[in-house]
Amino acid sequence: MNILIIGDSFATKYNGAYLGWAEMLEQKHTVTNLAQAGVSEYKILKQLQSITIKDFDCVIVSHTYFDLDYANYVYNLIHKEITSLLTDARVIDTDQLDLKKLFSTDRGEVQHLSEQANITFYNRLGKHIQ
């Protein structure tokens, strides 16, 4: 069987005192192992996009565990880039109008808010749109 392995350190090859499961598979199958230690889900996606899936009989995916520090870091980088691209524009930032607070206290089915919360937020926006 021709097997593709993508993912994080749980699927990488190790030169340890014993064989890992990925090396054990190599003893009986043709294995292409693209897994890397320390990667994010994005990098796992890129691993997958780098090959032709139909060339393999089976794909084993070792998803990474969510890393909150990494997610916050990437979020802040992207947020900063958005802000830099808008330096010459008039911007109303929903964070400044407490949209997240409304979401946490008054959730609903339309734009994640209740009807009353949508009206409240609309009125807040109205004060900034003249």
Side-chain angles (χ1 to χ4, degrees):
M1 182 175 279
N2 192 11
I3 300 172
L4 171 67
I5 300 174
I6 59 172
D8 65 356
S9 58
F10 286 96
T12 58
K13 288 183 178 185
Y14 287 91
N15 293 323
Y18 52 88
L19 294 178
W21 62 265
E23 290 92 355
M24 290 179 200
L25 281 176
E26 288 180 339
Q27 293 178 340
K28 292 188 175 185
H29 304 281
T30 302
V31 175
T32 300
N33 191 338
L34 301 179
Q36 297 172 294
V39 299
S40 64
E41 283 294 295
Y42 175 74
K43 290 289 189 171
I44 295 170
L45 171 64
K46 298 311 271 178
Q47 291 169 4
L48 187 58
Q49 291 173 335
S50 74
I51 52 86
T52 304
I53 299 169
K54 65 182 179 184
D55 290 345
F56 299 91
D57 302 311
C58 176
V59 178
I60 299 171
V61 182
S62 176
H63 289 283
T64 190
Y65 290 98
F66 182 75
D67 182 341
L68 184 57
D69 290 336
Y70 173 80
N72 284 329
Y73 180 77
V74 171
Y75 172 86
N76 287 325
L77 283 176
I78 293 169
H79 193 285
K80 190 176 188 177
E81 179 68 14
I82 290 168
T83 301
S84 73
L85 291 171
L86 295 172
T87 55
D88 295 329
R90 181 172 176 232
V91 176
I92 300 170
D93 190 327
T94 61
D95 286 347
Q96 296 167 337
L97 303 178
D98 289 330
L99 179 61
K100 290 179 184 172
K101 184 176 181 182
L102 275 176
F103 172 68
S104 68
T105 60
D106 203 359
R107 294 183 183 194
E109 296 180 13
V110 178
Q111 293 177 316
H112 307 293
L113 301 173
S114 71
E115 182 177 12
Q116 184 55 51
N118 271 288
I119 292 168
T120 299
F121 191 73
Y122 172 81
N123 289 331
R124 288 178 187 174
L125 279 171
K127 293 176 183 178
H128 295 275
I129 299 172
Q130 305 286 335

